[in-house]
Amino acid sequence: MQFMVQGAWGVVPVHLNEVSPADMRGTFPGLAYQLGNFAAAYAVVVNIEGLPAEELTELSWEHRNDGWCGAGAPRWNIVVQGERAEPYTLFLGCAAATHTFPHTGWTKDSYTDDDILNVGATNSGNLENLEDIQGGTIVALYILFDEGTTLNGVPLGPGFVYLDNITVNDKVFSGPMDNGNH
């Protein structure tokens, strides 16, 4: 295994050195190789700003089963301004959601009612601020996919996810044309 990994990836720093600008050859290859690919995809839900946090009663999506569903991605990020004006970002990952199976090849991942703020506050290390969060208002709501799918160079799963029927409270988004029309 080490032979195959080294044979495939061991040449990357050499290649980066060859394509680097001459005056950066000492820094650029190592930095680029170590940083890797910082890529993420996100979808922002618009016109939700100002909603009292406790009125967020349903967050769900359906993901196709051949895609990734991990602890941290895809995930809901809920930005709340607490009652005391403190900012909080709550995280609701795919793997911890309630899973149902609406049709062949798809899984519905849901968070509802009190679980949204309770689990989100727990996941973000803000459980002690739950009362402030519950009395706060939504500043932003988005879905983020930024989790890698390898560990020490070994593939763990696919590097993508297909989401459909994204639901926020009673609004179902089945395409980009739905965002903002609620």
Side-chain angles (χ1 to χ4, degrees):
M1 178 67 155
Q2 180 63 32
F3 170 76
M4 290 172 24
V5 170
Q6 196 63 30
W9 296 109
V11 297
V12 172
V14 173
H15 174 72
L16 289 172
N17 192 52
E18 293 299 319
V19 298
S20 299
D23 57 344
M24 295 190 70
R25 287 205 172 138
T27 305
F28 182 78
L31 183 63
Y33 188 69
Q34 293 302 318
L35 290 179
N37 181 13
F38 282 107
Y42 65 95
V44 177
V45 177
V46 297
N47 294 336
I48 193 110
E49 303 85 3
L51 180 76
E54 286 195 315
E55 291 183 21
L56 194 55
T57 58
E58 181 183 2
L59 294 174
S60 68
W61 58 59
E62 294 175 17
H63 80 268
R64 209 168 73 183
N65 292 343
D66 62 345
W68 183 259
C69 178
R75 72 174 176 271
W76 290 98
N77 277 11
I78 309 162
V79 182
V80 176
Q81 180 173 348
E83 194 170 34
R84 297 186 306 265
E86 288 293 320
Y88 303 97
T89 301
L90 312 180
F91 311 109
L92 299 171
C94 182
T98 299
H99 304 293
T100 56
F101 307 95
H103 31 265
T104 304
W106 291 82
T107 300
K108 183 175 183 177
D109 309 307
S110 305
Y111 287 95
T112 57
D113 300 316
D114 292 339
D115 283 346
I116 294 171
L117 299 180
N118 289 337
V119 174
T122 300
N123 290 348
S124 63
N126 286 300
L127 190 58
E128 69 277 0
N129 298 310
L130 183 59
E131 189 174 315
D132 190 37
I133 292 167
Q134 290 169 328
T137 57
I138 305 296
V139 174
L141 175 65
Y142 54 99
I143 298 170
L144 185 63
F145 186 85
D146 64 348
E147 193 170 84
T149 56
T150 62
L151 178 63
N152 298 325
V154 178
L156 296 177
F160 64 89
V161 67
Y162 293 102
L163 300 179
D164 198 4
N165 298 322
I166 297 166
T167 303
V168 177
N169 288 351
D170 59 351
K171 173 65 179 167
V172 178
F173 300 85
S174 59
M177 67 285 189
D178 295 331
N179 202 3
N181 297 323
H182 50 98

